[in-house]
Amino acid sequence: MSSLFVTATEPAAIPISFVTKSGWESLCATLPPAAQRFAQAHGYTGKPGQFLALPTPEGDIGHALFGLDEADARAHDPFRAGQLAALLPAGTYRFANAPHDTRLAALAFALGAYKFSRYRKAEPPAVKLVPPDGVDVAAIERIVIAATLARDLINTPSNDMGPAELADAAQALAQRFGATFTCIVGEDLVTQNFPLIHAVGMAATRAPRLIDFTWGDPAHPKVTLVGKGVCFDTGGLDLKPSSAMLIMKKDMGGAANVLALASMIMDAKLKVRLRVLIPAVENAVAGNAMRPLDVFPSRKGPTVEIGNTDAEGRLVLADALALADEESPDLLIDLGTLTGAARVALGPDLPPYYTNDEALAQDVARCAKVENDPLWRMPLWPAYDSWLDSKLANINNAPSGGFAGSITCALFLQRFVESAKSWLHVDIYGWTPKSKPARPEGGECQAARAIFALLSERYG
């Protein structure tokens, strides 16, 4: 991807003045009289998101005005400047004054320029930005490249993004950074003891697989990332209604965001021994599909009764987490688009996260706020653990009752993690239902930026 950022030696850049409604009067007074009259004639007030291009006497664009939320606004959006890439006419621009958070504004400017153009031509905005003073352009571009990867993978429809294509994307990323890549495919999952991954994917015409790559100095702390890679989820025999199936191409959003996070980690050369595990499957309907009340072994040993075939993500993650846990990593992180219950509780923009590590929990919350990558802690509530009990097997993947679905999913996964020094589980949505500043409608990079900030602090 081409950079939106240019050096300060470029031809004179058009200034962008940021303004709030309360600050508009004083900023307006600093403009030339003709510009003041032009702004007033157009009813400019500096309300959030309001844009106005001010002309020069020759008729060119000489100045741009853009409204921000008040700093103390209840719904203050640090990514408001993400609207600019789509609003500005072609040209090179610079920030004439400081937005509330200059780094996040510059990041939002770049994230807002994203276009998915694989199937329909969509030219990127013909705008460039002179980096604001003190902003690390390389760090911003690292994030933008990773977010673009996640968005592109999620936005690609499932006929072009099956388990094999997801593996190809992971392998390309691994090769780019010199990581060691392997992939276990089809019946080899059974012989190499990944029965739950195989059970979920065995009904599809496209073989399930476990993607695995490692990078970094083996002497460094081991950080393992596990991402749910369900490339399409019909729900299995517990078939989803069509409305719920409509965006199930995004059910590999956990894998996409794990790859985005890995991209940032490797590009920044963090001092970690990184391992990435992605169970990539399609949850399809066929005569050999897993059935409700079937019982399967797991890699770790406990047998699992299938309470619902649409609770497949936790099954594939269970085998991958068990493999990761065998190495006793210093930090084990899994991301997955897992439960509608998380969306009911917190909506699409605020993924819940789970951990019993109090220091980790506090660091995640702090980094999520600083990076404008919202996350909200939920409890691994021990009293609900018994809800997973099965009369036939050691554990049921989807207890009846319908309560606390995101929590019981996290408790299910916790059964497969015992040796990792610290574990973090995030139940992401991976999708923006309606466009917002810097977040166009479609696939989204969620949680990866906040976790990367945390890892950078610990292992930078």
Side-chain angles (χ1 to χ4, degrees):
M1 60 174 287
S2 60
S3 175
L4 268 71
F5 297 98
V6 295
T7 64
T9 58
E10 292 286 323
I14 301 166
I16 302 170
S17 287
F18 295 101
V19 61
T20 60
K21 286 191 71 173
S22 64
W24 166 235
E25 187 175 336
S26 59
L27 188 141
C28 183
T30 68
L31 298 174
Q36 293 183 35
R37 291 192 298 270
F38 186 90
Q40 290 162 356
H42 283 78
Y44 193 81
T45 62
K47 67 181 180 181
Q50 190 178 19
F51 169 77
L52 183 64
L54 301 175
T56 65
E58 295 75 29
D60 299 319
I61 298 172
H63 204 122
L65 303 175
F66 185 72
L68 296 178
D69 307 89
E70 302 288 347
D72 59 353
R74 187 175 181 183
H76 168 69
D77 186 356
F79 272 1
R80 178 69 66 183
Q83 294 176 243
L84 281 167
L87 291 172
L88 292 167
T92 299
Y93 295 84
R94 63 177 175 85
F95 292 174
N97 59 346
H100 300 310
D101 187 315
T102 302
R103 181 181 66 89
L104 287 182
L107 173 60
F109 186 98
L111 290 174
Y114 173 82
K115 301 283 187 183
F116 183 63
S117 57
R118 177 166 177 169
Y119 303 98
R120 187 174 66 180
K121 187 175 182 180
E123 294 293 339
V127 294
K128 299 289 183 181
L129 182 68
V130 175
D133 291 342
V135 169
D136 185 341
V137 175
I140 288 180
E141 290 186 328
R142 176 181 300 127
I143 294 171
V144 173
I145 289 169
T148 298
L149 172 64
R151 289 170 169 179
D152 283 352
L153 291 173
I154 297 170
N155 285 330
T156 302
S158 297
N159 61 312
D160 287 330
M161 185 52 61
E165 290 83 4
L166 184 57
D168 289 343
Q171 185 172 17
L173 180 66
Q175 290 175 342
R176 178 177 148 208
F177 291 102
T180 301
F181 178 92
T182 61
C183 193
I184 304 170
V185 181
E187 294 302 316
D188 287 345
L189 290 166
V190 177
T191 59
Q192 297 192 42
N193 193 24
F194 297 100
L196 292 177
I197 298 174
H198 183 266
V200 172
M202 64 186 176
T205 57
R206 299 185 289 185
R209 61 207 65 211
L210 178 61
I211 299 160
D212 185 354
F213 67 82
T214 55
W215 172 91
D217 187 340
H220 288 158
K222 178 174 283 296
V223 173
T224 302
L225 311 177
V226 180
K228 174 187 170 184
V230 178
C231 295
F232 193 83
D233 181 19
T234 65
L237 293 180
D238 287 311
L239 194 69
K240 292 177 183 289
S242 59
S243 59
M245 209 185 299
L246 190 60
I247 57 170
M248 279 300 100
K249 68 177 185 178
K250 80 167 185 69
D251 214 21
M252 38 64 70
N257 278 281
V258 157
L259 292 176
L261 178 54
S263 173
M264 289 186 273
I265 290 169
M266 294 186 292
D267 186 70
K269 298 180 174 61
L270 297 190
K271 296 180 178 63
V272 298
R273 176 61 169 177
L274 177 67
R275 189 177 192 184
V276 173
L277 295 169
I278 295 173
V281 302
E282 182 174 6
N283 189 21
V285 178
N288 63 331
M290 62 178 177
R291 296 164 287 262
L293 302 189
D294 279 354
V295 176
F296 295 95
S298 66
R299 179 178 182 82
K300 189 173 180 62
T303 52
V304 180
E305 182 181 23
I306 306 303
N308 192 306
T309 64
D310 196 20
E312 84 300 328
R314 66 198 69 181
L315 296 173
V316 299
L317 286 178
D319 271 358
L321 284 170
L323 173 63
D325 195 59
E326 290 165 12
E327 294 184 325
S328 303
D330 294 271
L331 180 57
L332 175 54
I333 300 170
D334 75 82
L335 303 179
T337 53
L338 285 154
T339 68
R343 316 288 78 86
V344 171
L346 299 174
D349 302 340
L350 187 59
Y353 70 95
Y354 298 82
T355 182
N356 281 327
D357 183 330
E358 293 301 318
L360 177 62
Q362 292 177 22
D363 285 346
V364 169
R366 176 176 49 79
C367 290
K369 184 175 182 179
V370 169
E371 296 301 317
N372 194 36
D373 192 8
L375 297 168
W376 192 263
R377 190 184 186 188
M378 295 271 275
L380 288 159
W381 193 246
Y384 295 164
D385 199 61
S386 62
W387 293 5
L388 296 167
D389 290 348
S390 165
K391 295 178 181 179
L392 294 178
N394 298 120
I395 188 172
N396 189 297
N397 79 319
S400 61
F403 291 140
S406 182
I407 294 174
T408 54
C409 175
L411 290 169
F412 178 91
L413 295 176
Q414 188 181 36
R415 297 278 187 103
F416 298 88
V417 179
E418 61 180 6
S419 298
K421 296 180 178 64
S422 189
W423 171 56
L424 173 68
H425 163 62
V426 191
D427 188 347
I428 68 170
Y429 192 50
W431 190 263
T432 300
K434 185 178 180 180
S435 291
K436 291 178 292 191
R439 291 149 292 194
E441 180 181 344
E444 190 51 274
C445 186
Q446 278 188 323
R449 290 188 295 106
I451 296 172
F452 174 68
L454 182 153
L455 297 176
S456 296
E457 288 183 358
R458 293 188 173 191
Y459 308 114

